[in-house]
Amino acid sequence: MQPPMMFLARLALVGVLVGAAALSGPAVAQDLSLRGTAGAFLSSRVAVSNGDFAQMAANHDRLLQADPENPGFLELSMQGHLLAGNFDRAVDRAAQIMARGDGSNVAALVMQADAFNRGEYDVALAALDDGARTGPLTDPMARAWAELGKGSMSDALGAFDTVIAQREELAPFALYFKALALAFVGDLERAEALLTGEAEGPIGLSRRGVIAHISILSQLGRMQDALELTDAMFGVNPDEDVAYLRAALQEGRAIPFETITSARDGMAETYFTLASALPSERGDWLPLIYARLTLALRPEHGDAILLAGQLLERAEQYALADAVYESMAEDHPQYLGAQLGKANALSRSGDTAQAIESLRALTRAKPDSVLVFSALGDMLRREEDFAEAEAAYATALDLLDTVEERHWVLIYTRAITLERLDDWERAEPEFRRALEFVPEEPQVLNYLGYSLIDKGLKLDEALDMIERAVEAEPDSGYIVDSLGWAFYRLGRYEEAVPVMERAVELMPTDPILNDHLGDVYWAVGREREARFQWRRALSFAPHPDLDTDLVRRKIEDGKNPPDAVTSTQ
């Protein structure tokens, strides 16, 4: 269940403000007076550009020694410390910024989180009354949670209800937080009614919201309803962090309500909702800021640990990601997810061999884990160790009592490894099994259709598959390339030209697509343009699937179009 787009659009405005504050930097006019810190200044620019948060904080701390009142240095020092996980240092900087009256949204957020962390709810309310603004959702939710923290449930409900009545785009989230607050104070019936979406209006439930609903149903003694909701949302073979809940329900044991256990947890849940709802793009620090604030208030928040680790991986801050994953307690239901995250971060940092060994160790420690064997298969496949990858995928599938729709990716990736092993007799049924669950999935349609055409099998069906894939994802360069290459292989060269040109337009620096366009041009007699495209392909090399020697021979001698494939079915 996804957040309303209107809500995300409004949140994007907050991101613009934060981004502008983060990237504006210190006044250049002061640079000449900082000759002794020139190195730190230049390093700070590089750290900001690269998202090196620890270095960003350290360099701006050095710059502040020479220019303690510089607003840009203060802001970037604060954000660097926060993003690197040094919350206390970020609070110190935020206090300096707020004392100056600089109007930083991030500083106000940090001070808000600090007030909740200390249980100083009057301070949080006073900041709101004084005009400190943090965002369209965090401001009203902070008021509600602070009133709850003070013991005034009526005022808290009034704050939630004001948002529900006046802010249509925020209402689903305010309803969710209101339900959590009611469950926290023991009003489970009203909380459950809200979570159904039938009491006061539609409510957007995340994965955590569904688990909260399951817990509340079990606390009400409605074990069968709780079990049915679990199976409907997570399947009868859920991942390990949900499997223990299902086992408890089958045994008739109520699941403790732990989604929030205090007003501080409620504010942490608000920050986490934002962290997970905002789109995470490289260079956009706002989701990670909210994830770090979540962990500052609730360090054991498993979902926030996993999200912060993933965001740090995307920022290529692998040491910080590893530290976040390492903070997950061994007895936490999501500990395995953190260990898989550590392995992925290790691989992305360049130490793939050690990452694979860590996953092999996990398979020995967790021999019944579908997740572990699937992750091992993915990593081995990326390393083109297809035989070992296929064995890992096969083990993962064998561990499933029931194969469900959500397992289609596992089936699909196993099919890919079989195809790469030239075992088409076993690969094709696996591709088709994946399509039984997701008949219009463009990735599966594209891979199967392309493979069939390449082998001269079931050509009409294969071309239909690729055309459906293009219809579903018309802006995917790889999928459009498949259609163009299918026309080429079928001898329909004129039809291939505009399609392949569109593919290269979508992915202009991909060597394979440029090579394919060269082949298509040559087939229709556009020899000069063909050689130009082949030279472009070489300029973007290397690529594991590009035979550079063959491309050079084509530039010298040209290329005879292949005989059009004909069906061998």
Side-chain angles (χ1 to χ4, degrees):
M1 287 161 276
Q2 299 297 319
M5 292 305 297
M6 185 185 301
F7 175 53
L8 291 181
R10 288 176 179 266
L11 291 179
L13 295 177
V14 183
V16 170
L17 293 174
V18 173
L23 299 178
S24 61
V28 177
Q30 298 187 19
D31 293 354
L32 296 177
S33 67
L34 300 175
R35 295 177 182 176
T37 57
F41 182 79
L42 293 174
S43 296
S44 71
R45 300 296 87 190
V46 174
V48 170
S49 177
N50 293 341
D52 186 343
F53 306 128
Q55 194 62 42
M56 187 172 105
N59 284 331
H60 285 94
D61 283 350
R62 285 180 58 198
L63 291 168
L64 284 167
Q65 292 175 7
D67 187 8
E69 297 300 315
N70 187 296
F73 294 165
L74 283 168
E75 180 75 31
L76 288 168
S77 170
M78 173 193 66
Q79 292 200 28
H81 282 297
L82 177 59
L83 293 162
N86 304 321
F87 181 67
D88 290 342
R89 293 286 289 128
V91 170
D92 292 340
R93 293 300 188 210
Q96 290 178 264
I97 293 169
M98 297 302 288
R100 289 172 48 88
D102 289 338
S104 162
N105 293 88
V106 179
L109 268 172
V110 170
M111 297 308 296
Q112 180 186 80
D114 182 60
F116 274 89
N117 199 39
R118 297 174 183 275
E120 297 177 348
Y121 303 115
D122 284 330
V123 172
L125 290 169
L128 291 170
D129 293 338
D130 290 342
R133 292 292 174 259
T134 65
L137 183 64
T138 48
D139 284 343
M141 293 305 98
R143 185 173 297 281
W145 292 121
E147 294 291 2
L148 181 65
K150 289 176 60 181
S152 179
M153 186 60 178
S154 59
D155 288 336
L157 291 177
F160 287 126
D161 288 339
T162 296
V163 176
I164 294 165
Q166 298 179 0
R167 301 291 297 273
E168 180 181 357
E169 76 280 9
L170 301 181
F173 300 92
L175 283 166
Y176 170 58
F177 297 132
K178 179 181 177 181
L180 297 185
L182 288 167
F184 167 63
V185 299
D187 194 343
L188 298 176
E189 289 83 0
R190 287 181 67 192
E192 198 279 325
L194 284 177
L195 292 174
T196 64
E198 298 174 359
E200 296 186 30
I203 185 168
L205 286 187
S206 64
R207 179 181 177 282
R208 286 180 62 80
V210 173
I211 291 175
H213 195 180
I214 292 167
S215 170
I216 291 169
L217 285 170
S218 75
Q219 289 288 319
L220 290 169
R222 295 168 56 183
M223 298 299 179
Q224 187 58 37
D225 290 340
L227 187 59
E228 289 176 3
L229 179 58
T230 303
D231 290 350
M233 299 305 297
F234 302 109
V236 296
N237 293 297
D239 295 336
E240 292 189 16
D241 59 331
V242 176
Y244 82 102
L245 298 177
R246 189 174 190 276
L249 294 172
Q250 287 180 311
E251 295 171 6
R253 291 185 285 115
I255 298 164
F257 177 76
E258 297 175 337
T259 308
I260 67 165
T261 60
S262 65
R264 178 178 64 184
D265 289 353
M267 199 65 224
E269 202 65 24
T270 304
Y271 294 143
F272 177 74
T273 297
L274 288 164
S276 55
L278 286 168
S280 55
E281 300 176 359
R282 182 169 174 80
D284 182 0
W285 301 342
L286 194 54
L288 182 57
I289 284 173
Y290 284 122
R292 285 296 198 184
L293 292 175
T294 305
L295 292 174
L297 269 59
R298 198 172 187 183
E300 76 282 3
H301 195 300
D303 288 306
I305 289 173
L306 296 180
L307 178 59
Q310 291 162 8
L311 293 172
L312 288 163
E313 285 185 56
R314 291 173 197 167
E316 298 181 3
Q317 298 300 298
Y318 302 116
L320 291 176
D322 185 79
V324 170
Y325 289 133
E326 192 62 31
S327 69
M328 188 85 79
E330 288 191 30
D331 60 353
H332 195 286
Q334 292 170 291
Y335 176 74
L336 180 58
Q339 294 302 300
L340 294 176
K342 286 187 64 176
N344 193 60
L346 195 61
S347 175
R348 294 186 63 178
S349 71
D351 196 350
T352 303
Q354 184 57 44
I356 289 173
E357 181 50 41
S358 70
L359 288 177
R360 291 194 188 280
L362 274 178
T363 64
R364 294 188 289 271
K366 297 280 189 178
D368 298 327
S369 173
V370 174
L371 274 178
V372 173
F373 280 99
S374 177
L376 176 60
D378 288 342
M379 198 168 291
L380 290 166
R381 177 172 53 85
R382 288 195 293 268
E383 291 301 299
E384 299 189 0
D385 187 347
F386 298 115
E388 290 295 317
E390 195 281 322
Y393 288 138
T395 301
L397 285 166
D398 288 343
L399 288 170
L400 293 170
D401 295 329
T402 304
V403 179
E404 303 171 271
E405 179 178 336
R406 67 193 182 93
H407 299 124
W408 74 264
V409 175
L410 177 57
I411 300 169
Y412 171 56
T413 49
R414 186 192 183 200
I416 291 174
T417 61
L418 289 167
E419 187 273 333
R420 297 304 295 268
L421 288 167
D422 293 324
D423 191 349
W424 185 247
E425 186 176 344
R426 295 171 65 205
E428 183 180 359
E430 290 298 284
F431 283 120
R432 293 189 181 277
R433 181 156 71 131
L435 286 176
E436 289 176 8
F437 291 111
V438 285
E440 296 303 318
E441 170 53 46
Q443 298 298 324
V444 185
L445 288 169
N446 178 62
Y447 204 114
L448 177 55
Y450 183 93
S451 299
L452 288 170
I453 283 180
D454 204 45
K455 298 175 187 301
L457 300 170
K458 306 175 179 118
L459 299 182
D460 290 340
E461 180 191 21
L463 185 59
D464 176 69
M465 287 180 178
I466 298 174
E467 289 175 333
R468 284 155 57 198
V470 171
E471 185 178 354
E473 291 193 13
D475 294 328
S476 168
Y478 290 124
I479 293 178
V480 175
D481 170 74
S482 291
L483 180 58
W485 197 244
F487 285 140
Y488 175 77
R489 293 282 287 126
L490 292 169
R492 295 160 60 174
Y493 305 128
E494 295 293 343
E495 291 176 82
V497 171
V499 179
M500 198 63 74
E501 287 175 336
R502 170 61 177 160
V504 171
E505 179 184 322
L506 290 167
M507 300 183 66
T509 62
D510 186 277
I512 300 299
L513 272 60
N514 279 278
D515 181 46
H516 283 177
L517 180 56
D519 290 355
V520 170
Y521 278 155
W522 189 271
V524 296
R526 296 164 63 173
E527 297 180 3
R528 180 179 297 179
E529 293 168 277
R531 287 191 168 97
F532 175 79
Q533 291 303 142
W534 289 329
R535 290 190 185 98
R536 276 178 58 83
L538 287 179
S539 74
F540 300 130
H543 187 283
D545 294 328
L546 184 71
D547 185 339
T548 55
D549 291 335
L550 175 59
V551 176
R552 291 188 181 95
R553 289 198 298 272
K554 289 191 294 187
I555 293 171
E556 291 294 324
D557 304 326
K559 181 182 190 294
N560 291 325
D563 293 333
V565 295
T566 55
S567 180
T568 61
Q569 57 187 338

